[in-house]
Structures are given as structure tokens and as C-alpha cells.
Amino acid sequence: FFFFEEGEGVRMLLRGVVMLVVAAYGEAWLSAPGVPPFVKARHNLKSGPLRPSCTSRPGRIAGAAGPRMVLADSKGGAEEVVWRTAKHKGHQVAAAVGEEDLSVFEDVAELGRLLGGTGKAKMVWESLREGVSPWENKQGVTDKARKLLGQSFQSIPEVSLESVAGDGTTKLLVDFADGLQVESVVIPNEGKPSARGVVEPRTTLCVSSQVGCNRACDFCATGKMGFIRQLTSHEILSQVFHGLRVVRERNLPPLHNIVFMGMGEPLNNPLNVMRATDILTKDKCFGFARSRVTVSTVGPSPAAIRAAGDLPAMLAWSVHAADDELRKKLVPTTAHSMEELRDTFKNVLSKRSRQMSTFMVAVTLIHNLNDGEEQADALVELLRPIQEVVKGLVVDLIPYNDIGEVAYERAGKDNVGAFQRRLIDAGFACFVRVTRGDDGNAACGQLATGVTSTPTPEAS
């Protein structure tokens, strides 16, 4: 459900409508590669109970069944979902009808309604923000609230493995009830002097939005898994809870940034990512500033980019190559020209506030493939139109992290340096990302679990 604070109703409702209309018309960004065309799949729906990809909670609002929408199901195919609309405390809301348990990651007003008082809800959220399980927090959460949590709410998925790299980066293996897993990464930074002053010690959390990924990037371990299923908003936000827990238990610097740069393509899971970013940035929930939450995407389609424009988070674009042919080699599911994707990003960013228009462009540099000056010049030409409307454009160069692909190796320091200078000389802010956690397979592009997708007969 989406419940809005006073003054936000119209904007949030419009955002939800945009996302739902895109889903209903079957944009390819909601389907995994290999799945039949969305419209055809819509007419061959499987029977049985509905299992919408978004977290749903039955019986919580009244209202007649609304229009039937077609969304990506848990396997990346198409599934029809009945949507109910009703007014709750004066606000129009919409939610999928399903059978999942309640989530503790509700805003204070709704959680208070479910627990019998906003005071109880505030206690639960104080516990969550401290990284302490409200089910076990006898000092901070009342007995009645903990009993209700145990009876009616989904538990927070457990972490079965925490591995710490030599630089302090911690990789978390999160287990779900169906036996699937994802990885999250806690990245502490002790702080250091910079051009703008001293950077305070802080920690960044990298979260996953899918089990596997349907973008099939050739240099990424997650892409090699294929698409398994979407994560619910509850499963996404559970990773944030565990990040806070690790920060507390290991006495790390405060959790400062949340980046959707783990497993999965966030814009292929739009409803759950929208829900998660809303809760992340609500003052009385996790309370992160919108400028501290970043959603990174390869840009599956112009429609996906447009729909993401109202996310309460910064946007980042994983470009990897400005040339269409080379981009298609690195990201085989690329279905649109880079200029078309670029122009859509430009349009979306031009409508955002100055604070929310900061934009990061990421390029993974691979030796003798995309690390030459010619590729740098092509990137300059691609990004120039965005630079005209975005003052906070930053290019992030990522030396390739090994995933066992014989054909690829990390770009050399000389090439990376020359690439960076080319962009700086063209007037771009450009930085080389410091590799973190690569000795523990926790670096960018190295996240994967021991399962791969199995194509169904319909999708083959």
C-alpha cells in the first residue's frame, strides 16, 4: 500500500498511476529475456492463486475489486493482478490483492493502525533503525506489540553468512523462506581529506533488488545467474535492517548511503523498489535523505527511465560503452540506442529539483575493449547534452573486477588514467572508484549466489 503524508497525495498518486500504466501496457522492462512478448503472455496466464511481485497484504482496506493489471510474476513472466482502490484517511490508495503476511516495514501511521497505536509503531521503528530486532527487543518494544508481530507479520530474513574482506568490507548472504538468497555489501569508509574538506567517516550499504538479473551483462557475475525472481519491498528493506545491525555490532561508522547496486536491475522491479525507497526516505521510518539513496540502472527502456523519474532517490546510469555495438556486446539485452536512452535521462533529470538532479554515470573499464581514448571521446559526446542540464554530473570509472571470464581483464592503470584525463579535460567531474572487497568477491560485478535460472518451455 501507499499512504501519503498531507500535501504529498497528488504527486505520489500520479507517480503510482504512471508506474501501473506502464506495467499494464506490458513494457519489456518487466520481463526477463527469453520470455515471450508481453502481450502474448497476457493471454496465456497460469491458473491458481495470485502471487504478485509486489508485497501485498489482504484484508487491510475495503473497496470493490478494481481493474485487472498485468505485472511481472515471481518468475519474470506475466501475471494478472486484481487491484483494489479505496480511500484511507482521506488519501486514495491502491494495492494488489494477494496472500502474503504483513510487513513490519510500514510507515508509522499504518503500522500504528495494525499494532493498535502509533506509540507502538514508533517503538518498532526505533528498534529497526538501531538494527535491533523488534521481535526480540523486550526493553524497547511492548509485550503486546511483540506478540502481534509474532502472530501476523513476516519475519525479517536471516543472514546465514557474513564474510569480511581485508579492507573491512562485509558481504552478507541473506536467506529467504523459499531457499533463495541474495548478497548485500556493507562498505565502511574511515574518512579522509578531500578537495571540499574532510570527509567524515561513514558506511555505505549496497542492496539487491532481484535474485539474479535479467540484463545479462557479460562482465557481471549476477548477470551470469539469469533472472530468478523479484524481491519484495520487505526483502529489500530487510537488507537495510541487517546493514544497520552490522554497523552497530561491529562499531562501524554511521550508515550514510544506500545504493541499489547489488544483484538485479532495480527498474525491472519498479513497484517494490518504489515502495522500498519511499520507506527508506520517510522521516519516521528509516529517515535517510533522498540524496543519500541511489538507484543504479542500465536503463532497460525509455519507459522504465521515465517511470523512475519520481523515485525519491538519486539516479545513476551504468553506461559501460557509448558505442551502440560495443554496448550491445557488454549488455546483450540492450534494446535501444544509447542516444535514445541518453535523451530520456536528460528529459527526466531536467524536471527534477537541483538537489535531486545530481547524476552519476558508471563505466566498467575492461582491458583493450572499452578503455581507449576513442571510447572516452565517444562517452564525452554521449554525455554532453546531459551536462547542459545537470550541474552535478559525475563519471565513475570502475576497473573491471574478475569473475573468472578468460576473455576479460582489468584495464591497466595507465589506460584508466588516460581515460580519466580525457573526461576531465572535456569538463567532466571524473573519478576512479577505489576497489573494495574484491578479495572476498564483494566488489562491483562479483555478487552472485549458487543458483541459476532454468528457462521454462514457454520462455525458451
Side-chain angles (χ1 to χ4, degrees), residues 1-2 19-20 23 30 50-58 60 69-75 79-84 94-101 103 106 154 209 227 229-236 268-276:
F1 295 94
F2 300 95
M19 302 291 273
L20 293 177
L30 284 172
L50 293 175
R51 298 288 183 184
S53 63
C54 57
T55 303
S56 52
R57 306 159 184 87
R60 292 169 52 198
M69 298 291 184
V70 180
L71 304 179
D73 67 13
S74 61
K75 293 296 183 183
E79 184 162 355
E80 201 166 29
V81 177
V82 178
W83 285 80
R84 294 184 185 274
V97 177
E99 300 177 348
E100 296 183 27
D101 290 335
S103 172
E106 290 285 354
Q154 300 177 67
S209 57
F227 176 76
R229 73 166 173 86
Q230 311 282 23
L231 294 191
T232 65
S233 60
H234 179 86
E235 290 168 332
I236 294 171
N268 279 141
N269 189 8
L271 295 178
N272 291 303
V273 169
M274 181 171 70
R275 168 69 180 166

Side-chain angles (χ1 to χ4, degrees), residues 156-179:
I156 293 177
E158 298 290 333
V159 170
S160 60
L161 180 65
E162 296 184 13
S163 55
V164 183
D167 60 11
T169 299
T170 301
K171 184 167 68 172
L172 310 179
L173 185 63
V174 184
D175 295 343
F176 300 128
D178 58 4

Side-chain angles (χ1 to χ4, degrees), residues 113-149:
R113 187 183 73 81
L114 296 170
L115 294 176
T118 57
K120 296 183 181 68
K122 290 178 180 178
M123 290 179 184
V124 169
W125 268 111
E126 287 174 5
S127 187
L128 291 170
R129 286 193 297 269
E130 293 171 0
V132 177
S133 169
W135 284 265
E136 302 171 3
N137 189 355
K138 295 181 179 180
Q139 285 73 38
V141 181
T142 65
D143 292 342
K144 184 177 180 180
R146 287 188 292 106
K147 182 178 180 180
L148 287 171
L149 291 177

Side-chain angles (χ1 to χ4, degrees), residues 136-299:
E136 302 171 3
N137 189 355
K138 295 181 179 180
Q139 285 73 38
V141 181
T142 65
D143 292 342
K144 184 177 180 180
R146 287 188 292 106
K147 182 178 180 180
L148 287 171
L149 291 177
Q151 289 175 339
S152 303
F153 286 75
Q154 300 177 67
S155 62
I156 293 177
E158 298 290 333
V159 170
S160 60
L161 180 65
E162 296 184 13
S163 55
V164 183
D167 60 11
T169 299
T170 301
K171 184 167 68 172
L172 310 179
L173 185 63
V174 184
D175 295 343
F176 300 128
D178 58 4
L180 296 175
Q181 302 168 312
V182 295
E183 293 181 327
S184 309
V185 184
V186 180
I187 310 168
N189 188 325
E190 294 303 329
K192 60 182 180 180
S194 71
R196 297 183 178 180
V198 177
V199 177
E200 294 295 326
R202 60 186 61 178
T203 296
T204 296
L205 175 68
C206 179
V207 299
S208 296
S209 57
Q210 296 176 317
V211 183
C213 183
N214 58 10
R215 295 298 99 196
C217 296
D218 202 38
F219 53 88
C220 176
T222 309
K224 299 294 184 182
M225 291 176 60
F227 176 76
I228 311 299
R229 73 166 173 86
Q230 311 282 23
L231 294 191
T232 65
S233 60
H234 179 86
E235 290 168 332
I236 294 171
L237 294 170
S238 293
Q239 298 171 67
V240 179
F241 166 79
H242 282 299
L244 290 163
R245 176 186 60 77
V246 169
V247 165
R248 175 179 56 82
E249 292 177 350
R250 297 182 183 273
N251 196 29
L252 299 177
L255 186 56
H256 191 263
N257 299 310
I258 307 294
V259 296
F260 284 72
M261 298 181 182
M263 297 169 61
E265 166 52 60
L267 299 195
N268 279 141
N269 189 8
L271 295 178
N272 291 303
V273 169
M274 181 171 70
R275 168 69 180 166
T277 53
D278 279 340
I279 295 299
L280 277 171
T281 55
K282 281 187 180 294
D283 288 340
K284 296 180 181 179
C285 296
F286 280 113
F288 289 96
R290 295 182 177 192
S291 59
R292 301 303 178 189
V293 179
T294 300
V295 174
S296 179
T297 175
V298 299

